[in-house]
Amino acid sequence: MVASEVKSLAVQTAKATEDISRLIMSVQQATSSAVSAIERISGRMHEIDSCATSVSAAVEVQSAATGEISQNVASASNGAKVVVSVLGEVSGAAAQTRHSAESVLTASQSVEVAAGAPRKEVEGFLSRVAS
């Protein structure tokens, strides 16, 4: 009977060894799948990091451009204020010039009227002398 028990134990041991071998193979396959998944995840993380770096650089460039645009707008606004101020001065100078031109015209008309009276007297005198 001992031989039969030894044989039975040997058979059970062989079955247990096969079961353990199958479990070990299953664990190895699962481990291999997990390693592959981790490698894929790592690759995706590198891609995401690269994209995040690109986005960060683009945001910095956009921020710098926005700052420059803001400075240009402020400069244009200051330039517009200067133009408005100069136009006000030009308008004032034009009004003064107009007033001065009107004064010169009035004086010129007065001189013409004043010069007309002696001319008539000279013409009358020359007419009398000639006759």
Side-chain angles (χ1 to χ4, degrees), residues 21-113:
S21 290
R22 279 194 302 270
L23 289 174
I24 289 173
M25 297 240 338
S26 177
V27 168
Q28 287 176 336
Q29 288 174 349
T31 301
S32 177
S33 294
V35 167
S36 294
I38 289 170
E39 287 174 349
R40 287 192 308 272
I41 290 170
S42 177
R44 293 291 183 216
M45 288 177 72
H46 286 295
E47 289 176 18
I48 290 169
D49 182 57
S50 176
C51 290
T53 300
S54 296
V55 167
S56 176
V59 166
E60 286 182 30
V61 169
Q62 185 177 11
S63 178
T66 301
E68 190 173 331
I69 289 169
S70 177
Q71 288 176 344
N72 290 339
V73 167
S75 179
S77 174
N78 289 337
K81 288 176 184 175
V82 169
V83 168
V84 167
S85 175
V86 169
L87 287 176
E89 291 173 13
V90 168
S91 176
Q96 286 179 339
T97 302
R98 186 174 132 243
H99 179 68
S100 296
E102 288 173 352
S103 295
V104 168
L105 178 62
T106 302
S108 170
Q109 289 171 343
S110 295
V111 168
E112 183 181 349
V113 169

